[in-house]
Amino acid sequence: MAEHLSERCVPVALSDSREKLTSQMLSARIGELEGVFAQIGTECDPHIADRAKDGLNQVKKRMALGGGCTLAALAGGTGSGKSTLFNALTGFDFADAGRLRPTTQQPTACTWQAQAEDLLDYLEVKKERRIERGSALTPVSEELRGLVLLDLPDHDSVRRTNCAFVSRLMPLTDLLIWVVDPQKYADQILHRDFLGALRERGRSMAVILNQTDTVAPESVDLLVSDLRRLLAEDGLEDVPVFPVSALCGKGLEPVRELLKTAVGRTETVLAGAASQIDGVTRLLASGLGSREVRTPKESKEKLTAEISAACGVPAVADAIRGSGRHLSAVAPAPPQQPASAVVRALREAWITDEVRDLPPLWARAVRKNTVPADRLRRRIGAALEAVPVPHKNVKAVFAVLFLACAAVVACAAAEFLCRDLMRTWQKAALFAGTAVFLLCLWAAAAAVGRVRARRRAVRYERRVLAELEKTVDECLLVKADEVLERYGRVRALLLRKNPA
């Protein structure tokens, strides 16, 4: 039967690596994932495959746009104060802040002497929605040089295009800052559809609790504590939380330090790309089973033995052995091709055991790739016909009979020719010796016949089993192994052993 080795496996995460990330590492990982797509074929859920390909294409485009700038984005729902925070951080009254909802209809960008034209064009930020710090009137701090700050449309807008736009842009950002307010920080849609789905980006994400000026000062700590609890339930316990009041300009310094830190890390863009690659890897790995599947020799031997028994090969071999007990020629009946229902049942049982721990689409590929039951039955019949049933050697029987007749004739001739010279006891001894010789000849012939019959039976059964094994290999094992080996290569690229 198939041997299944249980392993604790997790997707390979670039962002968890202790080695310093390089563009070569990311390029190599992108190449591996492209190899995974080539190996998966149609054995991946189309929805998962499309999402993974889109995510990988976004990373490739982001890497192609260069790493000379750090892309930070403010995301949040209507009324959270994103645009007010954007204006406070940039020092411009540029973003559309107001009471009408949804407030932010289009993305707004501010750059700190960053060569980001290609990036903003790709992000579809309109020219009139861009502003730059870098003139004599708006000096640029060296700590923020290269920063691109985006004010994204409200993710919970009534306009579907806004939500789709935010979902498309978020994977491309190097630093994602969620802005929430005291009234809607626990919104179920926010945590279920956005924060909870971005846990792989936890290392490059922050949450800002805005509008703290609208609640009592003693309530701020309670709100922050509750927000941390919700983030922990989302798997984002390490994401920093900053309470601020963008309208009053309070609590903004830690946010500015966060932006400076992000810009100061030369691997910011690489870390963001690595997080996105991790997300693609986890997405593809979600379609794999939890166990490694292997095809051992025992499954072939057992299946071959079952097919042999269904054909009656053991009974034919027993008949060949039994033929050694007779001097006459015995022709055992040849084995018969098994019924279609029997072949179908044996094939189905073997495949079911082999694909026990495979994902459904991979199991379907195994079934589709193996030879159908009707064709397998015809191949079994051809394998049986390739080995003729051995018959008893009649020449040996005639040789034994000839020796027996010769001994009787010799005895009779000796008695006739020497009857006057031989005494009675000598004649008796002659006849007795002849009888003993005939009995020994009979016993020896019977023993040799049984030995030769056993050898014929063993040789015949081995040849038939070899033909049946060859048939099982060509019709089932080789076909299934093509899929299983491909599955193993995909697992090797996506998963690694998790040390205990």
Side-chain angles (χ1 to χ4, degrees), residues 371 379 468-479:
V371 171
R379 292 291 301 274
L468 291 178
E469 276 193 5
K470 181 180 178 182
T471 300
V472 170
D473 270 335
E474 295 176 352
C475 297
L476 297 179
L477 290 184
V478 173
K479 301 292 186 181

Side-chain angles (χ1 to χ4, degrees), residues 223 246 299 429 460:
L223 291 174
S299 65
Y460 171 75

Side-chain angles (χ1 to χ4, degrees), residues 338-378:
S340 298
V342 174
V343 176
R344 190 176 299 108
L346 291 175
R347 174 183 177 274
E348 181 63 25
W350 180 83
I351 293 179
T352 300
D353 187 72
E354 287 296 314
V355 304
R356 181 184 305 169
D357 293 311
L358 280 179
L361 291 177
W362 287 93
R364 186 185 67 180
V366 172
R367 294 181 184 277
K368 183 179 179 180
N369 209 38
T370 51
V371 171
D374 293 341
R375 184 178 169 189
L376 176 61
R377 181 173 179 266
R378 291 194 296 270

Side-chain angles (χ1 to χ4, degrees), residues 138-289:
T138 57
V140 176
S141 172
E142 288 297 324
E143 293 89 346
L144 293 178
R145 188 181 300 274
L147 175 65
V148 178
L149 183 63
L150 288 179
D151 179 18
L152 300 181
D154 304 320
H155 70 78
D156 58 351
S157 169
V158 293
R159 295 189 177 185
R160 294 184 179 181
T161 54
N162 281 13
C163 184
F165 184 81
V166 172
S167 298
R168 183 172 65 88
L169 289 183
M170 281 193 298
L172 302 178
T173 58
D174 303 311
L175 177 61
L176 186 58
I177 301 176
W178 284 93
V179 183
V180 298
D181 61 84
Q183 285 73 36
K184 296 194 298 179
Y185 72 90
D187 182 64
Q188 184 179 3
I189 296 178
L190 170 66
H191 289 272
R192 181 191 63 199
D193 295 345
F194 290 93
L195 292 174
L198 294 172
R199 62 187 60 183
E200 71 275 1
R201 293 185 55 92
R203 294 177 179 270
S204 57
M205 194 161 62
V207 177
I208 290 180
L209 178 62
N210 194 18
Q211 301 177 3
T212 56
D213 57 298
T214 62
V215 298
E218 60 273 12
S219 301
V220 174
D221 290 340
L222 294 177
L223 291 174
V224 171
S225 177
D226 191 45
L227 178 55
R228 291 186 188 276
R229 177 186 62 81
L230 294 173
L231 292 174
E233 293 178 357
D234 296 330
L236 300 171
E237 58 274 1
D238 295 329
V239 172
V241 177
F242 303 101
V244 305
S245 172
L247 185 62
C248 300
K250 295 181 179 180
L252 297 180
E253 193 56 34
V255 181
R256 292 192 178 96
E257 290 300 322
L258 178 68
L259 295 174
K260 292 177 183 180
T261 301
V263 174
R265 292 199 309 261
T266 57
E267 71 275 12
T268 298
V269 175
L270 300 179
S275 296
Q276 181 66 2
I277 291 175
D278 291 346
V280 173
T281 302
R282 290 186 175 91
L283 184 61
L284 291 174
S286 65
L288 299 179

Side-chain angles (χ1 to χ4, degrees), residues 308 313-314 317 321 456-466:
S308 174
V313 174
R321 292 187 188 92
R456 288 196 303 271
V458 170
R459 189 161 51 246
Y460 171 75
E461 194 166 17
R462 285 178 179 173
R463 290 182 61 190
V464 173
L465 289 177

Side-chain angles (χ1 to χ4, degrees), residues 327-329 391-403 452 456:
L327 289 179
S328 59
H391 298 286
K392 192 166 184 177
N393 190 353
V394 182
K395 293 182 180 179
V397 176
F398 283 124
V400 172
L401 293 176
F402 176 78
L403 290 175
R452 291 172 62 88
R456 288 196 303 271

